Amino acid sequence: MTTPQRVLVTGSAGRIGRAVVKELAARGHGVVGYDVRPTPGLPPDRSVVAGLLDVDALRRAAAGAACVIHLAATPDDAQFPRGNPPDDGDNFVSELVPNNVVGPYHVMEAARALGVPRVVLASTGQVIDGHLRTGHFPVTPDSPPRPRYLYACTKVFLEALGQVYARQHGITVMAVRLGWCPRDAGQVAEIAGGELFQDVFLSPGDAGRFFAAAVEAAGLPPFAVTYATSRYVHQLRYDLGETQQILGWAPQDRWPTGSSEF
Ligand SMILES: NC(=O)c1ccc[n+]([C@@H]2O[C@H](COP(=O)([O-])OP(=O)(O)OC[C@H]3O[C@@H](n4cnc5c(N)ncnc54)[C@H](O)[C@@H]3O)[C@@H](O)[C@H]2O)c1
């Protein structure tokens, strides 16, 4: 039994956030949710409804936390591949920059100002997408970024931001390149149609257990990049060795377990 910790989870009302809140609460941790909408499963006094750009609210929510799990983000490109004019817009300036670039800066600044010792940042396998497309797998934490598109570029920034705050401010930071935890039936159908997608599938249960392990693990390195997926079906795509070594976590599920739990 680990000591209960106070944990701030941003993006707590989202697909992965709800799974993380559920797992942490089941393990007895004191969870505070932070999202622009109420977090299911948390009482109103522990479900902060605010945006990442509300610096005062963010700092109030982070006060006393032993760990921040930062999930809040715009979770993909609005459109990729690009359409033809006039339907060739993107969401970079309108959503990706405020939510995925400025927002994480405020999260890391809150951690620095309040002395939060540990932050776990949700990155994505889309930062190494180019390796997967050229058949270079399994990818490792050392694989250089080959981002898929603009959303993935913001996650490359997120990883760099975490590394800087670890080195310059002594915060223990883990950036996890997450596999695909589908948010709706359309995404489940997409995963069903591709072997690569099935191999990088991440079940809500494995996601919850991964982040709980990241909260509870002792002796983390100052900064680490890890991967999190469920067990592969066809071929190993993401090398989970370092994740297992650092956190003592291993996935339990395999596609399609949990894929339709929205
Ligand atoms: N689901 C996946 O397959 C997957 C894969 C790789 C990485 N990720 C990353 O994991 C994280 C969680 O993804 P998800 O699938 O749960 O996404 P989601 O869209 O289901 O949840 C994101 C949550 O963040 C909240 N949010 C967004 N912007 C916010 C802001 N500015 N302030 C406060 N709250 C805000 C949303 O309201 C939402 O509840 C994201 O960072 C995403 O980029 C997800």
Side-chain angles (χ1 to χ4, degrees):
M1 178 68 192
T2 51
T3 313
Q5 317 255 34
R6 182 180 167 92
V7 183
L8 175 65
V9 180
T10 74
S12 47
R15 169 67 292 224
I16 294 175
R18 279 177 275 124
V20 172
V21 167
K22 186 175 163 193
E23 182 68 23
L24 289 173
R27 294 184 188 216
H29 295 296
V31 186
V32 177
Y34 192 100
D35 202 300
V36 291
R37 48 196 176 133
T39 300
L42 286 179
D45 62 328
R46 286 199 282 118
S47 166
V48 180
V49 179
L52 293 172
L53 305 188
D54 186 340
V55 174
D56 291 340
L58 187 57
R59 291 191 179 200
R60 275 196 301 276
C67 181
V68 174
I69 295 176
H70 177 51
L71 303 168
T74 295
D76 213 334
D77 295 290
Q79 168 159 228
F80 182 77
R82 294 288 278 254
N84 294 318
D87 299 317
D88 60 345
D90 64 53
N91 60 344
F92 187 69
V93 172
S94 59
E95 292 182 77
L96 291 173
V97 169
N99 293 337
N100 297 15
V101 176
V102 183
Y105 160 75
H106 288 314
V107 169
M108 294 312 304
E109 272 297 290
R112 180 192 65 78
L114 294 160
V116 177
R118 183 176 296 191
V119 178
V120 186
L121 299 171
S123 184
T124 170
Q126 289 194 29
V127 302
I128 45 75
D129 179 77
H131 298 288
L132 300 177
R133 303 291 160 186
T134 51
H136 289 101
F137 29 74
V139 287
T140 68
D142 292 337
S143 298
R146 288 201 187 172
R148 175 176 180 262
Y149 201 51
L150 301 176
Y151 158 76
C153 291
T154 69
K155 295 295 188 175
V156 174
F157 170 80
L158 180 79
E159 293 184 7
L161 185 76
Q163 189 168 25
V164 162
Y165 276 75
R167 196 170 66 241
Q168 306 296 0
H169 300 300
I171 302 170
T172 297
V173 180
M174 175 175 287
V176 53
R177 294 173 178 169
L178 296 164
W180 194 353
C181 186
R183 282 183 293 275
D184 54 43
Q187 293 192 356
V188 173
E190 270 187 79
I191 297 174
E195 291 191 357
L196 169 63
F197 300 150
Q198 293 166 17
D199 287 338
V200 301
F201 168 70
L202 174 65
S203 75
D206 279 334
R209 288 184 288 273
F210 169 86
F211 282 99
V215 167
E216 294 170 358
L220 292 185
F223 175 76
V225 171
T226 56
Y227 291 89
T229 67
S230 291
R231 294 156 71 195
Y232 67 89
V233 179
H234 311 279
Q235 194 172 346
L236 181 67
R237 314 287 179 158
Y238 296 170
D239 182 353
L240 300 180
E242 200 152 325
T243 318
Q244 296 185 8
Q245 188 197 332
I246 296 173
L247 297 182
W249 169 89
Q252 296 178 20
D253 297 334
R254 179 180 275 130
W255 163 261
T257 302
S259 57
S260 53
E261 289 170 20
F262 303 119

